[in-house]
Every structure is written in structure tokens, then in C-alpha cells.
Amino acid sequence: MDTSGAHAIETIDDLRGHLQWAIELEHATIPPYLCALYSLDPARNAEAAQVVGTVLAEEMIHLALAANLLNAVGGAPKLDTPELLPPYPHPLPHGDRSVHVHLAPFGPEALELFLRIEQPAAADAPPQTDEYRTIGQFYAAIEAGFRTLCDKLGEEQVFSGDPARQIGELHLRGGGGEVIPVHDLKSALAALAEVVEQGEGAARTDVWDGDRDVFHPEREEVAHYYRFQELRLGRRYRTGDTPQSGPTGEEIAVDFDGVLPMRPDPRTADYPEGSAIRVAQEEFNQTYSLLLYQLEEAFNGGPGELQDAVGTMFGLRKQALALMKMPTGDGKTTAGPTFEYVPPELRN
């Protein structure tokens, strides 16, 4: 597989650079999925909240897998950096510039964005190292880079990272899949497959990701793209269904009135300094920046920080829900979290 071009993966440094991009890409899904999840009334939209919640938990696993891959090749994952929180809306990192990541409540527009992000690659789509059309093509290019470098330099030279920095498990409610420690080509390929299969299916022609459904163990789990299709079309996939057939199983009820009307792409600058909404948004941003710090520490040799990070996420939920219940004053919308980076010197 050829990955030559302006951003070819021909050296270990190229590979490290692309794996840092993978961290930025996996993180880019988390704020929009959080906004959609927090906006859902779980009493009126239990199934939709379950779907978005499981995808979110699995994106956190993908983030840990990307960090394991980068650590395995002697890199240092960076998360506590403004690169992870560009102003919204912004293009998907290093990807298709027409896919703009927004912060919005759950609804048809949010689902369309999520489907664009998780879009499966066509069966014959080539690997793409940059400005990729699909996430699957980007990871195919990383896989090709691993294989090429192992052939050229040998596995020992490629996998030079400290094994103690590998994350072995991540306890999150509701997500399928597992965090795979990476120490050689075989485990690297398994980690890459875990990310791609959960996103777009176990084969590019399949709707299933190869795991069992966390909430319905009798069923196979549907890949992220097809889980969002289920919500968009109001029906579940069942055995025998394909991407072409669409879902033919039981109905999923989505109550679009049971969603908090968060104003899309909120910014602290929209509100006066010292106002209740702005103060609450600034507190949320402090907490989210702390989360990025904790994740960076965890992925750089301090795995004990992971439990603290999970605790911080529970605090974020409480802050976001409080914001989404604060009227903006326009008679229609409520406030929401802004996900603006707070530099370390300005933190509480």
C-alpha cells in the first residue's frame, strides 16, 4: 500500500506525527458527542442516550489506543494543548475540510455530522495519510506505515517505547471493546483494527463491529456509523441486515422534544464578564482543561491519573447539565459548554 506524498509515513518521526494526529482526531469527536448526550432527557430518550453514551465511551477507548500506539514507538502523547480545542466550528483535524465539527444538541443536524465523521470507507478506498476522506483510510495509511517501517528497520527498532507507559484497561460504563497494550506489530495491528471496526464495521461491507452489544448481550454490536443510522432512521439493525438493506429490526423511538435546546457553538464571549452563564462556562472550561491534563499525565507514565480523569468526567456532566438549563434570553435556547482551552497559568 502506497502512502507516499506530502505527508508520507517513511520514518519513525513521520509515524509519531501521524499517531499524534490520531489522538487529535479521536479527541475531536468527544466534545460534540458530549453535547448531544448531555442534551438528551434520559427519561424520554433512553435508547438515544444509550447509543450516544456507548459511542462516547468507545471514543475514549480509541483515544487510549492511539496513545498506546504512540507510546509504543517512543512518542509522547500531547493532550493538554490548545491544538485539541480549536474554536468551534472547525474542520475535522487533518481530514476532509468539508466536515465541520459543531457543538450542538442532539437532533437531525447533530446526527448528520456524526454520520459524516464515522462514514465507512468504500471497499476499494486507498490509504490516505492527510486530508483523508474517511477515518478508515487514515488508519489504513498508519497501518501501511507500521508494516513498511517494520520491514525496513525491524520491529525492535520501531517499537522502542517504554512498555510501562502502556494503558492496559480503562473502566468506562457502557462501552464495548478493549484497550490493547501495544508492544509489537501484531498488537499494533490489533489496536488499529479495534478503532476502525468499532467505527465503520468489522469489514467495510458489514454493519457489525465484531463485539457483543453491551446492553443487549444476545445481539452483535453495531458499528458507530450504523448506530447513528439506527437513530436517524428510527429502526434497529438485525441479523441479516446489510449497509444496502438498511435496518429492518424493531423501531427506536426518538423524542426530539425531549432534548434541551442548547444554542449551537456557544462561546464565552457571547456573554458579559461576570454574568451567570459566562461564569458557569468558564468553570466548565477549567474542568475540561483539567481533564486534558489528567489524560496527558495518564498517557505519559502516570496511569493512576486515569481514575481521577473518570471522576472529572462526572463533574463535567453536572456542569454541562446546569448550563443547558440556563436560558440564554432569546426565548428559545439555553446555554451550553464552550470547550475553550484554558492555559495552565490561568487555571484555578
Side-chain angles (χ1 to χ4, degrees), residues 43-67:
R44 294 170 67 177
N45 276 303
E47 287 184 292
Q50 204 176 77
V51 168
V52 180
T54 57
V55 173
L56 175 66
E58 287 163 14
E59 292 298 349
M60 292 294 293
I61 286 171
H62 298 177
L63 188 66
L65 286 166

Side-chain angles (χ1 to χ4, degrees), residues 30-183:
I30 290 170
Y33 291 172
L34 280 174
C35 285
L37 178 63
Y38 294 156
S39 72
L40 285 160
D41 179 339
R44 294 170 67 177
N45 276 303
E47 287 184 292
Q50 204 176 77
V51 168
V52 180
T54 57
V55 173
L56 175 66
E58 287 163 14
E59 292 298 349
M60 292 294 293
I61 286 171
H62 298 177
L63 188 66
L65 286 166
N68 275 358
L69 286 158
L70 180 52
N71 273 321
V73 297
K78 290 198 277 292
L79 286 100
D80 188 0
T81 166
E83 275 75 34
L84 259 74
L85 287 176
Y88 292 89
H90 63 78
L92 199 61
H94 308 285
D96 181 343
R97 308 297 290 175
S98 70
V99 180
H100 281 261
V101 181
H102 289 267
L103 301 177
F106 181 86
E109 292 84 2
L111 282 174
E112 281 306 315
L113 168 64
F114 300 166
L115 287 164
R116 291 287 307 277
I117 290 172
E118 303 282 1
Q119 174 80 40
D124 58 352
Q128 290 178 309
T129 55
D130 194 18
E131 297 181 18
Y132 45 85
R133 301 290 298 174
T134 68
I135 291 173
Q137 288 169 280
F138 175 63
Y139 279 110
I142 290 176
E143 179 186 328
F146 268 111
R147 290 183 187 276
T148 301
L149 288 167
C150 285
D151 285 346
K152 194 163 76 175
L153 305 172
E155 284 188 51
E156 215 170 293
Q157 197 72 28
V158 174
F159 295 95
S160 62
D162 178 358
R165 292 166 70 118
Q166 293 293 312
I167 299 293
E169 50 189 25
L170 182 56
H171 297 294
L172 292 168
R173 259 202 335 239
E178 59 177 331
V179 181
I180 298 166
V182 177
H183 45 81

